[in-house]
Amino acid sequence: MSDSHQHQGHGHHAGEGHKDGICDCIPSWYVDHLGQAGMPYVKIEDYAVPPEESHGSLFLPDRLAKGYHVEELRGGVYWVSAGWYDCMFVSTGNGVIVVDAPPSLGERLLDAIAEVTDEPVTHMIYSHWHADHIGAASMFGPDIIRVAHEKTRELLQRFPDPDRPVPTVTFSKDMTLEVNGFKLELSYKGQNHSEGNIFIYAPEQKVLVAIDILAPGWVAFKDCDSSENISGWIEAHDQILEYDFDFIICGHVSRYGTREDVLTAKEYTDDIIRFSYEALHTVELEHFVKDMGEGPYRAAFRAAEENFFAALTNYVTQKMLEVKTSNGQLWQERLNGADVMTKNNAYTMLQKIRLEKSHNGYMKRDGAPEGFFL
Ligand SMILES: [Zn+2]
């Protein structure tokens, strides 16, 4: 990143240091003078060194050499990772079933399959409609069977993408896909991270695929994994634990997980929920609006609102970074990214509690209940 860090926060404008169109200092796209209107930049030393277990396959020799890692979990079920993404395929003895095809793996997924079997890909399952997990689906050609939830088909018909062909087989609640005697149980339990996001389970091998709910060894990615329905996302942790599984593929971080990882993720999520409710009942909006009489009302209100949400978010984040977790460690010692992304997860949880959970009553004729805000 050149020497741009030394200019951080000094009001330099992007484009300075250009000579004859060649950037020798700050790239033209680098904006660092927005102050409170922009996003802050960070430095490596702002954050803890992550726990080593969270590295997954990242530094394995075969991955460094080939650009991907493929590993048989059990009985013909393979886990593949590359480019920070994970997916699965199954060798049935008479055709391969692929579960997701992230564009960051792309054609390296074809190499990974060819490395372990000569069988052709006959089926593909879409976990959900997001391009970052199935954006290479078209590389299997037009003739395979594509299975997904009916919501996924609806979304891909509504927002067509040649790289994500519309599924040929859909279901609404549960479906068993059986190919050459190999069974995969597909289940939709309602909207969570996205509409149509399904669980894919190999019961005999005890392998579960549940994408974008949690990340083994990591905190949930920013904003509770960009989830659409936080109540459904929270519930999904329990739905995962209802399965009898030894391996779980979660879609990210170049790692598969175990039951233990899910329990840890659930504990982290439960802590955020607990501290969010505590914050909503502790932080006082009045503290920030009481001086609004002076100055332009709209600006004062905006500032009060921003500070109120900042206070809520910082309250939760501080509690999360201080709490002793069930094994005696701090979250930032236990999960990669806790000191980076907890603030984003806290902010989203706070906002979604406001939207999805009735938690502080409603306006009465004789005035607002204690702690009331919209
Ligand atoms: Zn997604």
Side-chain angles (χ1 to χ4, degrees), residues 128 130 132-133 193-194 211-212:
H128 64 307
H130 285 169
D132 66 327
H133 289 276
H193 161 74
S194 81
I211 302 296
D212 286 347

Side-chain angles (χ1 to χ4, degrees), residues 72-89:
E72 185 172 17
L73 297 179
R74 186 178 287 160
V77 177
Y78 291 86
W79 158 58
V80 193
S81 68
W84 214 240
Y85 280 78
D86 300 82
C87 69
M88 182 179 99
F89 69 87

Side-chain angles (χ1 to χ4, degrees), residues 126-141:
Y126 294 174
S127 65
H128 64 307
W129 79 296
H130 285 169
D132 66 327
H133 289 276
I134 63 165
S138 60
M139 70 184 172
F140 300 110

Side-chain angles (χ1 to χ4, degrees), residues 227-369:
S227 290
E228 294 168 359
N229 183 327
I230 295 297
S231 300
W233 175 78
I234 294 165
E235 188 184 35
H237 291 74
D238 294 316
Q239 291 164 338
I240 287 170
L241 290 168
E242 282 166 20
Y243 283 92
D244 178 16
F245 67 91
D246 294 326
F247 308 92
I248 181 168
I249 292 172
C250 300
H252 285 275
V253 305
S254 298
R255 243 195 79 174
Y256 65 80
T258 63
R259 206 169 179 82
E260 198 56 38
D261 291 307
V262 181
L263 289 168
T264 305
K266 181 177 156 52
E267 185 186 334
Y268 173 86
T269 304
D270 286 347
D271 273 355
I272 290 209
I273 296 167
R274 179 162 63 96
F275 292 132
S276 294
Y277 275 103
E278 199 178 295
L280 288 162
H281 290 112
T282 305
V283 176
E284 294 164 355
L285 177 61
E286 293 73 23
H287 177 83
F288 300 102
V289 298
K290 65 185 178 206
D291 299 325
M292 275 186 14
E294 300 295 318
Y297 175 77
R298 282 167 189 278
F301 182 75
R302 279 272 86 84
E305 191 179 51
E306 283 300 296
N307 287 334
F308 176 60
F309 285 123
L312 285 167
T313 305
N314 289 339
Y315 182 100
V316 177
T317 305
Q318 176 178 258
K319 293 274 181 181
M320 287 298 290
L321 296 178
E322 283 177 359
V323 72
K324 271 263 169 76
T325 73
S326 62
N327 73 355
Q329 286 181 300
L330 300 171
W331 280 123
Q332 55 274 35
E333 294 165 341
R334 198 169 170 187
L335 290 178
N336 200 333
D339 53 350
V340 184
M341 295 187 265
T342 293
K343 63 178 182 295
N344 309 92
N345 290 330
Y347 178 83
T348 295
M349 184 61 73
L350 288 156
Q351 292 291 4
K352 292 298 184 120
I353 286 174
R354 292 177 54 238
L355 303 181
E356 296 181 11
K357 321 263 188 204
S358 176
H359 63 280
N360 64 0
Y362 54 88
M363 186 65 78
K364 301 287 166 49
R365 289 196 182 91
D366 59 357

